[in-house]
Amino acid sequence: MNINQLDMNFDSVIIGAGISGLVAAHRLKRLGREVLLIESGDRVGGAICSRDTEGFLIECGPNSVRGSHEFLDLVEDLNLTDELITGDPRAPAYVYIDGKLHAVPMSPPALIKTKLISTSAKLRLLREPFVKARRERGEESIASFARRRLGDEILERLIAPFLSGVYAGDPEQLSVQACFSKLAEFESEAGSVVGGALRAAMKSRRQQDKPKRSLRPYRLCSFRHGLSALPEALARSLGGKLLTGARIIGISKNSSTSGFEIRIEHRGENRAINCSTLVVSTPAYVAAGLLDGVAPEIAALVAEIRYAPIASVPLAYRVEQVGRKLDGFGFLAPRGEGVRTLGSIWNSSLFAGRAPEGWVCLTNLIGGATDPEAVKLGDEELIRIVHNDLSRVLDVSGEPRRLPITRHERAIPQYTLGHAARVERIESELGAASGLWLAGNYLRGVSLGDCIKQAERVAVEINQAIQPTSASI
Ligand SMILES: Cc1cc2nc3c(=O)[nH]c(=O)nc-3n(C[C@H](O)[C@H](O)[C@H](O)COP(=O)(O)OP(=O)(O)OC[C@H]3O[C@@H](n4cnc5c(N)ncnc54)[C@H](O)[C@@H]3O)c2cc1C
C-alpha cells in the first residue's frame, strides 16, 4: 500500500505486528473502529515464525499454544478451525535427572509414584500447609519462595526446569509475585500454597455451570502449516489497514485533539497521521525509545525490563538413529545435570506433518538467563553441543541433519524482582486518561495465550474509552 492513499485520521494506531498488536488491531476493527497497524519488518507475527525447509516444518520461535478459550474463540472468529491441530493431552513432558528421563507428574497419584523427587521431598511437600506464611512485604524471588515453602528438591527438579522452559529464566532473579502471582496470593490469603490451591479448585468447581470452551486439559495446539497461520489470518482480517516495512519517525501529542500525531516513513515517502488512541505493541526496549518524547516516565520504566537470549537449534534424525522412543512433548534439563541444552521439543511427536516419513525433528533451545553466552556460539559449535546432549539423553547415534538455526538476542522478557510493582506503576500511568496503551509479552505473561488475553483486554478498554463511532450514534 502507498501511504499517500491512507486516511489521515484513525480511532487507533497500533505499532508492532506481533501477536499482541495483531490481536488488538483485529479486535478493534471487529468493534467497528478505524485502525491502522504499523510494522517495521516485512512480515507479521514477531516471534512467531514457521518455516518449511527441505520437507521439515520448523518453528523458529514458539512451538505451540495452549488451547485456552480466548485462543479458541480467536481461531473460530478467523475461520481457522479446520487448520487447527492438537497434541496428545497424555503426551508427557520429561525432566532429565541423574542420567534418566522422568515424566513430570501431572496428578497426585503420579506425584506419589514419581522417582523424579525423593521420598523426603514428598514428605516435605506434605508439610507445606504448616510452613509459616511470609510476613515481609515486597517481592520475593521464586527460588527463595520455593525453598521456604516446598524445599530445595522441588525447586531444583521441577520449578527451575519449568522456568527454563517458559522464561529461559533464573529462579534466583525472577519474582514470584510477577511470574506466579496466584501462588503468592495463595500464601498471603490462605497461609499455604496447597490450601489456597484446594480452595480455588473448590470455588471453580462450584462455578462450573458457566460454559467453558477451552480444550481440557488445555491441550497444546498449532496449525497444519505451523503457528504462522495465526498471525497471517489476523493480518488478512485487517485488509488494507496494515503497513509493513514502515518506520516511525516521531510521535507527538496533538494538542488540539488530545490524540497523537504519528510521522511515518514508508518506501521513501513520509506521512503524518492522527489517532485518538495509540497502542505500542513492540518489545519493551523499542517501546522505551518510541515513547521517550510523549510519555517519558513510562518510557523510563519500560526501559528497565531486561530480556534473556535463546538460540533455537532444530535437528533432524532418521527414526532408527534415536535409541529412545520419543513418546512425549520433549524434555527439560535442570542445570548441573551435565547437559547444556535447556530443553528439547519433539515436534514430530507432538504434531503431524512436521517431518518427512522415517524422520524425526527436534527443536532444541539453548542459552537463557543462566547461559547467555551460548547464543554467541557459531552454528558448528551449537550443533555439536546439542547433538552431544541428545546423544546422552536420547541415545542418538550418527550425524544429525542440520536445519536453520535462529538466534533470538532478546527472546523472553525477564520478570525479575520489582517487576510486579513496575507493571503496576506503568499501568497506573496508561489508559483512558493518557490515550496510550501498551500491549506485549513484557507486562503480564509471556505465553501466546497471555498475549492474546491482554491484547483483547486493551481493545475492549480502548473501545470503551473513545467516542461512539459515527455509525453507532
Ligand atoms: C524462542 C521462543 C520460543 C517460545 N515458545 C513459546 C511457546 O512454545 N508457547 C508460547 O505460548 N509462547 C512461546 N514464546 C513466547 C511468545 O512467542 C512471545 O511472548 C510472543 O510471541 C510475543 O508477542 P508480542 O506481540 O508481545 O511481541 P513480538 O512477537 O516481539 O512482536 C513485536 C513486533 O513489533 C515489531 N516492531 C519492533 N520495532 C518496531 C518499530 N519500531 N516499529 C514498528 N514495529 C516494530 C516487531 O518487528 C514485531 O513484529 C516463545 C518465544 C521465543 C522467543
Side-chain angles (χ1 to χ4, degrees):
M1 184 205 276
N2 183 317
I3 46 166
N4 290 317
Q5 294 164 338
L6 276 181
D7 291 336
M8 272 290 288
N9 299 304
F10 292 89
D11 291 322
S12 201
V13 164
I14 298 107
I15 304 176
I19 191 70
S20 303
L22 283 161
V23 170
H26 165 79
R27 183 58 55 215
L28 278 164
K29 185 158 183 273
R30 280 276 195 268
L31 290 165
R33 299 299 173 183
E34 280 300 326
V35 296
L36 178 67
L37 176 58
I38 303 172
E39 163 63 41
S40 58
D42 56 6
R43 59 165 195 93
V44 296
I48 304 173
C49 177
S50 318
R51 270 180 81 169
D52 225 326
T53 169
E54 302 168 47
F56 294 90
L57 179 58
I58 58 166
E59 298 287 356
C60 307
N63 277 266
S64 59
V65 46
R66 286 201 175 267
S68 65
H69 68 92
E70 288 90 1
F71 167 71
L72 294 177
D73 281 348
L74 187 60
V75 169
E76 202 170 276
D77 186 9
L78 294 166
N79 279 326
L80 276 182
T81 312
D82 290 347
E83 289 296 306
L84 188 71
I85 53 173
T86 59
D88 179 352
R90 291 157 305 177
Y94 291 93
V95 178
Y96 181 71
I97 293 273
D98 299 337
K100 280 201 205 101
L101 287 177
H102 299 267
V104 174
M106 297 305 286
S107 64
L111 187 63
I112 294 167
K113 273 199 241 148
T114 185
K115 293 204 166 69
L116 181 57
I117 51 170
S118 66
T119 307
S120 67
K122 292 174 196 172
L123 293 172
R124 174 73 176 78
L125 201 54
L126 287 177
R127 291 207 309 274
E128 192 278 334
F130 308 102
V131 174
K132 270 198 196 141
R134 176 175 181 252
R135 291 255 178 85
E136 298 91 70
R137 296 165 69 87
E139 293 176 41
E140 182 182 20
S141 75
I142 295 179
S144 156
F145 178 89
R147 267 190 213 107
R148 229 171 18 80
R149 300 222 59 92
L150 307 165
D152 283 349
E153 238 184 275
I154 303 271
L155 167 65
E156 283 154 23
R157 299 186 162 211
L158 280 168
I159 296 176
F162 173 78
L163 289 174
S164 296
V166 177
Y167 289 93
D170 177 355
E172 304 290 344
Q173 306 291 329
L174 295 175
S175 154
V176 72
Q177 282 74 13
C179 298
F180 299 129
S181 58
K182 274 267 168 292
L183 296 190
E185 272 166 42
F186 289 158
E187 177 178 49
S188 60
E189 287 165 15
S192 138
V193 172
V194 174
L198 287 175
R199 237 192 242 182
M202 271 152 48
K203 192 170 160 203
S204 99
R205 204 166 295 158
R206 281 200 299 275
Q207 291 173 342
Q208 267 197 353
D209 35 85
K210 281 191 200 157
K212 282 218 175 76
R213 297 187 343 97
S214 25
L215 281 173
R216 296 245 154 216
Y218 287 105
R219 274 193 205 197
L220 294 178
C221 303
S222 184
F223 298 93
R224 225 173 283 286
H225 301 287
L227 274 178
S228 283
L230 182 61
E232 283 162 10
L234 284 162
R236 280 196 299 277
S237 84
L238 295 175
K241 301 303 164 100
L242 166 68
L243 210 56
T244 52
R247 189 169 69 86
I248 306 289
I249 304 170
I251 303 174
S252 47
K253 269 274 187 195
N254 187 327
S255 48
S256 52
T257 63
S258 77
F260 297 88
E261 185 187 84
I262 322 278
R263 290 178 307 286
I264 317 166
E265 192 258 336
H266 185 245
R267 296 185 191 148
E269 310 246 22
N270 289 2
R271 178 86 196 266
I273 52 167
N274 300 311
C275 56
S276 31
T277 60
L278 173 65
V279 183
V280 176
S281 48
T282 63
Y285 49 91
V286 178
L290 291 174
L291 294 175
D292 208 19
V294 276
E297 276 138 39
I298 296 173
L301 289 166
V302 164
E304 291 171 6
I305 298 168
R306 296 282 166 263
Y307 283 66
I310 290 186
S312 170
V313 185
L315 293 179
Y317 296 92
R318 293 213 55 98
V319 173
E320 57 276 12
Q321 283 181 270
V322 185
R324 190 199 192 280
K325 202 168 165 219
L326 301 180
D327 58 347
F329 168 72
F331 73 84
L332 292 163
R335 305 302 75 197
E337 295 294 320
V339 168
R340 193 163 177 188
T341 306
L342 292 173
S344 172
I345 301 161
W346 303 340
N347 305 69
S348 46
S349 303
L350 190 57
F351 299 122
R354 267 45 187 169
E357 194 62 36
W359 287 84
V360 296
C361 175
L362 318 176
T363 299
N364 310 288
L365 301 173
I366 187 163
T370 54
D371 187 11
E373 295 301 308
V375 297
K376 296 183 189 147
L377 299 172
D379 284 9
E380 292 299 322
E381 187 63 356
L382 284 174
I383 291 169
R384 192 189 59 75
I385 294 169
V386 169
H387 173 67
N388 283 348
D389 287 346
L390 295 179
S391 308
R392 184 168 180 159
V393 179
L394 302 177
D395 195 17
V396 299
S397 55
E399 286 302 306
R401 177 147 168 195
R402 292 137 177 264
L403 295 167
I405 293 175
T406 310
R407 290 177 182 76
H408 301 266
E409 304 285 343
R410 289 187 271 198
I412 310 273
Q414 300 295 291
Y415 294 6
T416 50
L417 287 172
H419 186 83
R422 183 186 299 122
V423 171
E424 275 183 22
R425 280 170 65 201
I426 292 171
E427 287 179 346
S428 72
E429 303 268 340
L430 292 170
S434 64
L436 173 66
W437 275 261
L438 297 180
N441 62 358
Y442 61 90
L443 293 165
R444 292 190 180 270
V446 299
S447 72
L448 292 170
D450 288 330
C451 292
I452 293 171
K453 203 164 149 183
Q454 290 175 59
E456 295 271 6
R457 201 200 60 219
V458 162
V460 169
E461 282 178 17
I462 291 178
N463 189 48
Q464 285 165 357
I466 48 186
Q467 299 299 314
T469 54
S470 47
S472 60
I473 294 173

